[in-house]
Amino acid sequence: MKKLILIPIMVIATLMSCQKNKQEAAAEAEVAAAEAALDSAKSNEVAIRKAATAAEWQEFKEQGNIVIQQNKIRIAELKASAKATGDNSLDAIEEKNSQLQTKLESYKNDASEDWEAFKAGFNEDKEELRRELLNK
């Protein structure tokens, strides 16, 4: 009698175990597909962001060069008027403008450099130089 009860229980347990394994395998396959889709989306986002950064960088660089050239003209004007007074304080401002130009030219627009940090630092330096030129 015990054997008659035990055999159906074992059969049911085996069938349930097989069903559970099939469900687990299907769930694992879904998780793997979702992870692959997420990786693909991240790769696409990085590629798109690099392209946007390249366009943004080109515009930023052009605008930066315009400001640097305007600074050079303003410094030359100030030097001409300061020549009569013997004021040499413009040398430091001229050096800062030169450093700003070097910073702009040396930036490499690639993944190893932080674009947002560079842009913030460059704009801060540019603004500081602008304030100094206004005070002269």
Side-chain angles (χ1 to χ4, degrees), residues 124-136:
E124 184 179 311
D125 293 344
K126 182 176 72 172
E127 184 61 27
E128 180 184 327
L129 186 57
R130 186 192 67 80
R131 283 191 303 269
E132 287 182 32
L133 283 170
L134 288 174
N135 290 332
K136 289 290 177 181

Side-chain angles (χ1 to χ4, degrees), residues 53-113:
T53 301
E56 192 176 15
W57 162 239
Q58 189 60 38
E59 182 179 338
F60 185 84
K61 186 175 181 179
E62 289 170 5
Q63 293 298 319
N65 281 324
I66 290 169
V67 168
I68 290 168
Q69 291 306 315
Q70 289 172 342
N71 289 346
K72 284 181 180 181
I73 293 168
R74 178 72 178 135
I75 291 168
E77 291 170 353
L78 290 170
K79 277 189 162 187
S81 65
K83 205 172 211 179
T85 62
D87 185 11
N88 291 333
S89 64
L90 291 169
D91 291 340
I93 293 174
E94 189 172 30
E95 177 61 29
K96 285 182 182 180
N97 194 53
S98 178
Q99 288 173 354
L100 196 64
Q101 186 171 17
T102 301
K103 186 176 186 178
L104 185 65
E105 290 171 357
S106 66
Y107 177 76
K108 303 279 187 269
N109 188 27
D110 59 20
S112 67
E113 294 193 45

Side-chain angles (χ1 to χ4, degrees), residues 11-56:
V11 169
I12 291 173
T14 303
L15 289 176
M16 289 178 70
S17 172
C18 290
Q19 185 66 21
K20 197 177 213 181
N21 287 339
K22 287 179 185 176
Q23 289 173 345
E24 287 175 0
E28 287 174 1
E30 286 179 25
V31 168
E35 287 174 347
L38 180 61
D39 288 343
S40 176
K42 284 181 182 178
S43 295
N44 288 340
E45 179 184 359
V46 167
I48 289 168
R49 182 65 191 140
K50 280 184 181 179
T53 301
E56 192 176 15

